Amino acid sequence: MFDLFRSRQKAVRILLVVLLGMVALSMLVYLIPGAGMSTGSKDDQVLAEIGNQVLTVREVDIEMRNLMKGREFPPELAQVVIPQKIEQMTAEYASAYEAQRLGFQVTDRDLADAIRSINPQIATLTPQQYRDYIEQQMGETVQEFEGKLRLGLYGTALESLALQGVLATPAEVEAEYRKRNDKIKMEYIAFDTQKLSTTVKPTPAELRGYFDRNKGFFTAPESRGVEVLIADSTKMPQTVHVPESEIQSYYNAHRDEYRTPERVKARHILVMTQGKPAADLPKLRAKAEDLLKQVKGGADFAALAQKNSDDPGSAKNGGDLGWVVRGQMVPEFEKATFELKPKEISGIVTTNYGFHIIQVLEKEQARLHPIDEVRAAITAGLTNQAMSEQMQSLAEKARTELMKAPQNGAQIAKKYNLIFVENPKFTAASVIPELGDDKTVSGVVASLQKGAVSEVTQSGTKLAIVAVTAINPPHPAEYADVEGQIKTMYPQQRAVEIAAEKSAKAAELAKANGGDLKAAAKAVGLEVKTTDFFSRNGAIEGVGAAAAFGDAFDKPIGTVVGPLKAGGDTVLAKVIEKAPADMSKLAAERDTIVAQIKGKKAQERQALMRDSIMAGLMQQGKVKIHKAVVDRMIARYRRS
C-alpha cells in the first residue's frame, strides 16, 4: 500500500536503526516536566501544534462525545480522560508528521481502500449520500473524517516499519514454554477470613470504636423526604355494580370472542419416517401395522404411545394432543382426524412425518357460547375495568389537591381512601413495602425536585402519586446511619486481622521447626491441605488462581512461601514437589508462543517508538502543546 515499503530491505533496516536510536537522547527531553509546553496559547481553539498541523478543541470534543455516547467511561471521569485523549491524539499527529518527513505516502487510493474496509457499502453511495452518512454517523465533516483516517494510516505505516525484524529466539520460546508448563505441588494452610468472621462477636463499644476510628470513610448518601399516596383496589370500598344491560351489550358486541370452532380431542402414535433411508420404509410400515393391530385388539393406547411413539411432544402423555382445530395440523392428519367419530380409531395415516395411528376421544361442533356460560367472566372483566377507572379518577383528584396543598398529604389520602406512606430519608436503596419489589416509584422520586408532585404512576396493579418534601444532600454519616453497615464490616475487618496474626505466627513456627507445616497448623487450630500439581496459569481448588504463588515456581523444594493473599484468604504454603515441563510437547505449542512473544515485543517497540518520536519533535520545537487551552477545556468538562 505504501510507497516506502517498496524500498530495499537494507534501507529499511538502516532507517529502523536510526528511528530507534533517537530514544536515548529524546526520551530525556520528553520526560522533563514542561518540556515542549507553550506557556501561552496561539489560538483559543488550538490545543497543540504539530509541524504545520493543529489539534483543535473541536476534534477532541468530537472524540469525547463519541466516547460518552458509547458509554466507554463514566461522564464524571471526563476531566481524567481528556488529558489522556489529547496526549494520544497529539502523538498520532506526531507519528504522521514524522512518517511524511521520512518519505511515506498515503495516496487517495489508499484512503479509499481504508474507507471501504470500514463499511463496504460506502462504495455504493453518491457523494451527497456519503457526506450525509459521515456527518450523521460520525458526527463530523467529510474533511475531518478523512483527515483523521489519513492520519491513522500514516501512523500505521510508520509503526509497521518499526516492527520489521521482530524475532522470538529459541531461548525465549523455550523459557516461555517452561514458564507456562512447569508445575509444582504444595502443602498449605488456608486462613479463611469468611469463616473467621463468623467467630467475631463484637460488643457495642467495639462497633462504636470502629466507627470513631474510621468516621471519614462513612458518608450518608443523598436522601429525600417523600410522601406517597397509593390507590389499591383491594383496600377501596367495593361499590362497583355492573348492570345486566351492560353485560348483555358487551356480549352482543363481542360475540366472535365467544365462538368455539369445530374441534376434536385426539391422541396418536407416530412411527417416524422423516430422515430415514427409503430402504427402511417397509420395516417401519410393518411396525405401524403391528401397533394398529394391537390397539384395535384392545391394547392400552396410551401405554403403546408412551413406549413406541416417535413424537417427543406427545409420547410422554400417552400420545395426547389435547383439543385441536382446523389449520393446526398437516392436511392428511387433519382430514383423517376430523372424519373420525368419538372413540373411533383410524387406519394407518401417512404424512411427511411418518405413519400415524389416530384416535378421537371427543368432538365438538362449532358453536356460540350462550351468555349464561360467559356471564361470570364478562362481569368480572367489566367490574375490574370500572374499578380501574374509579381508582384512576380518585388518584387524579388526589393529585390535584396535593399540588395545591402538599402539606395535607395524609388528609387527602384519607379523603379518597388511599394509602398514605411517608419516608423522611428515602434513598435509591429504599423500598415501599406497600408496593412490594416494584422500583418504579424509586425512579420517579429520583427525577423530582423539592416541592414537586409526580403524575399518577402505575406500580404493578396499584397507582401511586409521589411528592418530594425535602432533598437532603450527602453528609458525614452519624453512627445510627451506618450501624447496620458497620455490623457487617467490623467482623470482616477483624477476620482479616486475625488471619494476619495467625498466619504470621504459623510462618514463624514453620521456619523455626524446619518447615513443618503440620506442627504450625496444629498450633493455630487449623489443618494442612495438599494441592495437586498446578502450573502458573492454573488454579488451586479451594484457593483460587495460582498466579499468587508465581515466585514459588523458582524456589527449591522445602521452601515456605507466604503468608500471602490468595483469593479472599491468607495462605501459608510449602513447595513439596516439582514437575518440569514436558519438552517433547514444545513443538506443538511453538508457533503460538512465537506469535505471542512477537506480539508483546511489537507492542513494546511501538510504544517506545511513539514516545521517542514525540520527544524528538518536542525537542526540535515541532510539537507545541498550549497548556492554557488544555486547562480551560478540562475545566469546562469538570464544570459540566
Side-chain angles (χ1 to χ4, degrees):
M1 176 186 287
F2 301 100
D3 293 346
L4 191 60
F5 286 176
R6 291 193 285 270
S7 301
R8 290 187 299 173
Q9 190 68 23
K10 181 178 179 182
V12 170
R13 289 199 301 271
I14 293 172
L15 181 56
L16 177 60
V17 170
V18 172
L19 284 171
L20 296 180
M22 295 165 59
V23 174
L25 185 59
S26 61
M27 282 298 288
L28 179 62
V29 176
Y30 188 44
L31 294 174
I32 297 174
M37 284 283 190
S38 170
T39 56
S41 64
K42 176 181 176 183
D43 185 307
D44 283 348
Q45 294 302 308
V46 175
L47 292 161
E49 297 175 69
I50 309 95
N52 58 355
Q53 299 285 319
V54 293
L55 174 64
T56 67
V57 170
R58 171 178 162 77
E59 291 176 80
V60 179
D61 273 335
I62 289 172
E63 289 294 308
M64 292 298 295
R65 187 165 60 246
N66 290 337
L67 286 174
M68 287 190 283
K69 184 167 62 178
R71 300 174 184 255
E72 295 184 34
F73 68 93
E76 58 269 20
L77 293 181
Q79 66 267 28
V80 177
V81 177
I82 288 171
Q84 298 173 352
K85 178 56 67 175
I86 292 172
E87 180 180 343
Q88 173 198 330
M89 295 176 73
T90 303
E92 289 170 356
Y93 268 107
S95 292
Y97 176 78
E98 187 67 15
Q100 292 174 78
R101 288 210 309 177
L102 293 171
F104 283 78
Q105 293 181 14
V106 176
T107 66
D108 290 342
R109 175 64 180 274
D110 296 330
L111 186 63
D113 289 343
I115 293 172
R116 277 192 292 271
S117 72
I118 296 173
N119 185 346
Q121 294 183 347
I122 287 180
T124 66
L125 303 180
T126 66
Q128 184 59 48
Q129 289 172 330
Y130 171 64
R131 186 177 298 108
D132 292 343
Y133 174 83
I134 296 301
E135 290 176 355
Q136 293 170 14
Q137 298 296 319
M138 307 297 182
E140 53 195 345
T141 66
V142 169
Q143 184 178 4
E144 289 169 336
F145 168 71
E146 292 185 352
K148 187 163 62 177
L149 190 56
R150 190 182 293 270
L151 196 73
L153 292 174
Y154 273 119
T156 299
L158 188 61
E159 290 176 354
S160 297
L161 177 64
L163 300 182
Q164 296 288 320
V166 173
L167 299 173
T169 67
E172 289 173 326
V173 174
E174 182 175 324
E176 180 63 23
Y177 176 78
R178 289 185 185 279
K179 185 176 180 181
R180 294 183 184 192
N181 294 284
D182 282 345
K183 294 183 178 181
I184 59 173
K185 180 185 284 191
M186 297 195 309
E187 289 179 344
Y188 71 95
I189 310 169
F191 299 84
D192 186 336
T193 52
Q194 187 63 39
K195 192 176 292 185
L196 287 170
S197 69
T198 63
T199 68
V200 178
K201 307 297 180 186
T203 65
E206 287 174 322
L207 294 174
R208 186 61 192 239
Y210 178 79
F211 170 74
D212 291 339
R213 292 191 301 274
N214 297 279
K215 268 186 181 179
F217 295 101
F218 295 103
T219 302
E222 178 187 278
S223 64
R224 299 186 175 212
V226 300
E227 294 180 350
V228 186
L229 280 64
I230 302 169
D232 182 352
S233 61
T234 64
K235 305 293 184 183
M236 300 177 73
Q238 303 298 311
T239 58
V240 174
H241 171 70
V242 182
E244 178 63 26
S245 59
E246 192 173 338
I247 296 172
Q248 184 69 54
S249 177
Y250 185 91
Y251 176 76
N252 291 337
H254 298 82
R255 282 175 175 266
D256 287 345
E257 295 177 16
Y258 304 113
R259 295 185 189 279
T260 300
E262 181 187 9
R263 64 178 188 165
V264 295
K265 189 174 185 182
R267 58 185 179 181
H268 81 136
I269 299 171
L270 168 65
V271 177
M272 181 81 77
T273 60
Q274 192 177 57
K276 304 286 179 67
D280 289 352
L281 291 181
K283 181 173 63 176
L284 296 170
R285 176 81 186 198
K287 178 181 177 181
E289 295 282 2
D290 179 61
L291 290 169
L292 178 61
K293 184 178 179 181
Q294 292 182 58
V295 169
K296 293 202 169 184
D300 187 319
F301 192 105
L304 285 175
Q306 286 178 340
K307 185 176 180 180
N308 298 282
S309 180
D310 294 325
D311 177 6
S314 67
K316 61 185 178 182
N317 298 320
D320 192 354
L321 297 170
W323 287 99
V324 294
V325 299
R326 294 185 186 275
Q328 289 184 304
M329 302 159 287
V330 292
E332 303 89 347
F333 192 99
E334 178 180 293
K335 182 176 184 298
T337 300
F338 279 88
E339 287 177 351
L340 292 172
K341 298 174 183 177
K343 308 302 180 184
E344 191 175 0
I345 297 171
S346 72
I348 301 298
V349 178
T350 304
T351 71
N352 58 341
Y353 292 103
F355 304 118
H356 305 259
I357 301 164
I358 307 167
Q359 183 181 32
V360 168
L361 301 174
E362 296 180 54
K363 193 168 189 176
E364 288 185 358
Q365 298 301 319
R367 71 188 185 99
L368 171 66
H369 290 270
I371 190 169
D372 287 344
E373 289 185 11
V374 295
R375 177 179 279 103
I378 293 175
T379 302
L382 292 176
T383 300
N384 289 338
Q385 181 180 334
M387 283 293 297
S388 177
E389 291 170 357
Q390 185 182 78
M391 279 176 57
Q392 186 71 38
S393 175
L394 291 175
E396 291 290 357
K397 289 176 181 178
R399 178 179 181 271
T400 300
E401 292 192 23
L402 189 62
M403 290 180 71
K404 294 176 182 177
Q407 72 278 7
N408 295 337
Q411 296 92 319
I412 294 169
K414 184 176 181 180
K415 177 181 177 179
Y416 291 104
N417 292 301
L418 307 181
I419 301 168
F420 179 74
V421 178
E422 186 175 21
N423 187 336
K425 292 186 177 181
F426 189 94
T427 68
S430 298
V431 296
I432 299 175
E434 292 79 2
L435 297 178
D437 295 332
D438 187 79
K439 293 290 186 181
T440 305
V441 168
S442 296
V444 172
V445 171
S447 69
L448 296 177
Q449 298 299 316
K450 180 181 177 181
V453 177
S454 75
E455 299 287 340
V456 176
T457 302
Q458 188 82 35
S459 179
T461 61
K462 303 171 186 177
L463 300 177
I465 308 146
V466 179
V468 172
T469 58
I471 296 180
N472 312 307
H475 58 278
E478 297 295 332
Y479 179 72
D481 295 328
V482 293
E483 184 177 3
Q485 185 180 350
I486 290 172
K487 285 180 177 179
T488 299
M489 292 177 63
Y490 179 80
Q492 294 173 345
Q493 176 64 35
R494 186 71 190 104
V496 171
E497 294 169 356
I498 293 171
E501 294 163 5
K502 285 179 173 285
S503 62
K505 179 180 178 180
E508 192 175 318
L509 290 171
K511 289 173 184 176
N513 61 24
D516 186 347
L517 282 197
K518 290 184 174 63
K522 185 176 181 181
V524 294
L526 295 172
E527 61 179 15
V528 172
K529 297 180 181 179
T530 303
T531 71
D532 293 328
F533 277 106
F534 62 91
S535 65
R536 284 181 172 86
N537 298 327
I540 304 169
E541 185 178 355
V543 175
F549 301 93
D551 291 345
F553 287 83
D554 302 319
K555 305 293 185 184
I557 292 174
T559 301
V560 175
V561 181
L564 47 78
K565 291 290 184 182
D569 299 334
T570 299
V571 177
L572 181 69
K574 182 174 76 171
V575 181
I576 57 173
E577 285 188 63
K578 288 192 169 188
D582 182 354
M583 300 307 292
S584 67
K585 297 180 180 179
L586 170 59
E589 295 186 37
R590 185 181 301 278
D591 290 346
T592 301
I593 294 174
V594 166
Q596 290 172 345
I597 291 175
K598 291 174 70 174
K600 183 179 178 181
K601 285 186 175 182
Q603 289 179 346
E604 293 170 350
R605 188 177 288 189
Q606 285 176 339
L608 188 64
M609 183 175 184
R610 281 194 298 268
D611 289 346
S612 67
I613 289 172
M614 187 74 168
L617 292 178
M618 291 177 76
Q619 184 183 32
Q620 299 165 31
K622 300 295 184 181
V623 172
K624 296 178 182 178
I625 299 174
H626 297 290
K627 188 174 184 302
V629 183
V630 172
D631 290 344
R632 280 198 297 274
M633 185 175 187
I634 293 171
R636 170 162 59 86
Y637 274 87
R638 185 179 290 117
R639 286 194 301 271
S640 63

